[in-house]
Amino acid sequence: TAKLQTVAKSAGKLYFGTATDNSELSDTAYTAILDDNTMFGQITPANSMKWDATEPSQGQFTFSGADQIANLAKTNGMLLRGHNCVWYNQLPSWVSNGGFTTAQLTSIIQTHCSTLVGRYKGQVCTCPSHSWDVVNEPFNDDGTWRSDVFYNTLGTSFVEIALNAARQADPTAKIYINDYNIESPGAKSTAMQNLVKSLKSSNVPIDGVGLQCHFIVGETPSSASLIQNMNAFTALGVEVAITELDIRMTLPSTAALLAQQKTDYTTVISACQAVSGCVGVTVWDWTDKYSWVPSTFSGQGAACPWDQNFQKKPAFDGIVTGF
Ligand code: XIL
């Protein structure tokens, strides 16, 4: 039976990976599949590297959860994707409450990014590279900048402050900006492309753009639009990665929905396969048992390639077919 990392590598991609979370690691039936590095060659911590988890009060860093995931990746010989340094969500109130001068918030971002990224410097050093989602979700869906403490205090400069701090802290890490609804052409993707152009023209370090890909069964963008959009990014001199793939449906799941979901997974994987600058694919957890979808999108779920009993769904074969 096919293993996803093996299939992705044979197809010339760097990895096939998954998000995971600390609370899941005590489930031995779960870890039996997670720890198979022929199935998953890359790990993203779903929550434990976020600001609220790593610097809950100013200057007090707590890395126990993050270290557990980083060590799991290291032990299993998997790439690690750091997630994330600067995001409006899951921020501790000491940051989101604001009231900072520009100098203060600049220093707060620099300290947070350099301490967090520096912590895992050179991690998984036997692997070719690892990545950081340094800036997460900076744009609104209409392509305007999200109104948060970072933008409202520093304007767009918070992006380069964070990217520069991350680059300095681990020069070998690929540094990314990551967002959703930038997977096909449109205002938000254009805004991200314009940001990449402006960073490149002012020599701010940026290696990649993460396409989250939280899709809906039957509404997944076409292969042509995914490819056109990825090509628009790689033409700017950055790589792309599919960073948080899942394809949800309105419950209950039916045979027809599962069949469409399989088709949709193939569409996404084959688009990445068609673009050499698309380096790899990460699913936002591999089993419906631990998917974030039902708690976030009411009445929806069954978004992952394995069901909640760890049985492979048609989507699993859809992924294999796509490579
Ligand atoms: C989600 C986690 O999976 C959940 O457990 C948490 O409650 C909320 O955040 N985009 C991102 C991820 O960049 O960090 C989010 O992860 C999903 C959407």
Side-chain angles (χ1 to χ4, degrees):
T1 57
K3 298 294 186 75
L4 299 180
Q5 169 70 3
T6 305
V7 169
K9 286 287 269 192
S10 316
K13 298 295 152 184
L14 196 51
Y15 61 84
F16 189 96
T18 183
T20 192
D21 212 350
N22 300 74
S23 56
E24 300 162 19
L25 302 179
S26 51
D27 180 341
T28 53
Y30 175 84
T31 55
I33 295 174
L34 179 75
D35 288 345
D36 175 359
N37 67 10
T38 66
M39 189 65 86
F40 302 112
Q42 178 273 330
I43 292 287
T44 307
N47 285 298
S48 54
M49 288 186 182
K50 290 173 178 173
W51 201 314
D52 59 355
T54 53
E55 195 185 4
S57 53
Q58 187 167 9
Q60 304 296 309
F61 285 88
T62 52
F63 287 121
S64 49
D67 284 356
Q68 187 185 14
I69 307 282
N71 288 335
L72 179 144
K74 193 182 213 170
T75 302
N76 292 334
M78 298 161 170
L79 294 166
L80 178 66
R81 184 177 196 90
H83 178 85
N84 53 59
C85 301
V86 174
W87 187 31
Y88 76 96
N89 210 351
Q90 292 176 270
L91 266 185
S93 55
W94 73 267
V95 182
S96 57
N97 286 347
F100 307 115
T101 64
T102 59
Q104 284 169 334
L105 189 57
T106 299
S107 161
I108 286 167
I109 293 171
Q110 286 170 335
T111 300
H112 185 74
C113 292
S114 63
T115 306
L116 181 60
V117 174
R119 174 94 179 171
Y120 304 102
K121 182 182 176 182
Q123 175 90 51
V124 201
C125 49
T126 55
C127 294
S129 72
H130 66 143
S131 309
W132 264 101
D133 292 323
V134 175
V135 175
N136 200 33
E137 302 181 352
F139 292 115
N140 295 313
D141 280 346
D142 65 0
T144 57
W145 287 82
R146 193 185 284 279
S147 168
D148 62 16
V149 66
F150 305 110
Y151 180 73
N152 293 338
T153 309
L154 294 166
T156 63
S157 73
F158 79 89
V159 174
E160 63 182 83
I161 292 165
L163 289 167
N164 278 319
R167 173 67 94 221
Q168 277 189 352
D170 187 353
T172 65
K174 301 267 187 194
I175 53 178
Y176 273 65
I177 305 175
N178 187 51
D179 214 327
Y180 62 93
N181 291 348
I182 58 164
E183 297 88 355
S184 40
K188 194 172 186 180
S189 175
T190 300
M192 186 66 87
Q193 289 167 40
N194 288 337
L195 173 58
V196 170
K197 279 183 208 163
S198 103
L199 293 170
K200 286 269 177 197
S201 71
S202 23
N203 286 317
V204 177
I206 172 77
D207 299 312
V209 173
L211 311 175
Q212 290 188 6
C213 297
H214 294 294
F215 291 141
I216 299 172
V217 168
E219 298 173 33
T220 297
S222 71
S223 206
S225 87
L226 292 166
I227 292 170
Q228 180 193 339
N229 189 65
M230 285 192 270
N231 282 334
F233 282 108
T234 60
L236 304 177
V238 289
E239 60 183 44
V240 294
I242 291 175
T243 53
E244 306 187 11
L245 177 62
D246 52 22
I247 310 182
R248 62 189 185 266
M249 61 181 71
T250 298
L251 299 172
S253 117
T254 62
L257 285 166
L258 291 171
Q260 182 63 48
Q261 184 180 52
K262 174 183 180 181
T263 300
D264 290 351
Y265 267 98
T266 301
T267 298
V268 178
I269 302 299
S270 65
C272 179
Q273 185 57 31
V275 176
S276 60
C278 181
V279 297
V281 177
T282 307
V283 287
W284 205 244
D285 228 318
W286 53 271
T287 163
D288 292 335
K289 182 171 184 181
Y290 296 121
S291 172
W292 74 305
V293 166
S295 60
T296 306
F297 303 96
S298 175
Q300 299 180 63
C304 300
W306 278 258
D307 72 14
Q308 52 197 344
N309 301 312
F310 308 132
Q311 300 302 305
K312 289 172 188 154
K313 294 156 64 179
F316 179 91
D317 293 324
I319 293 170
V320 173
T321 304
F323 280 113

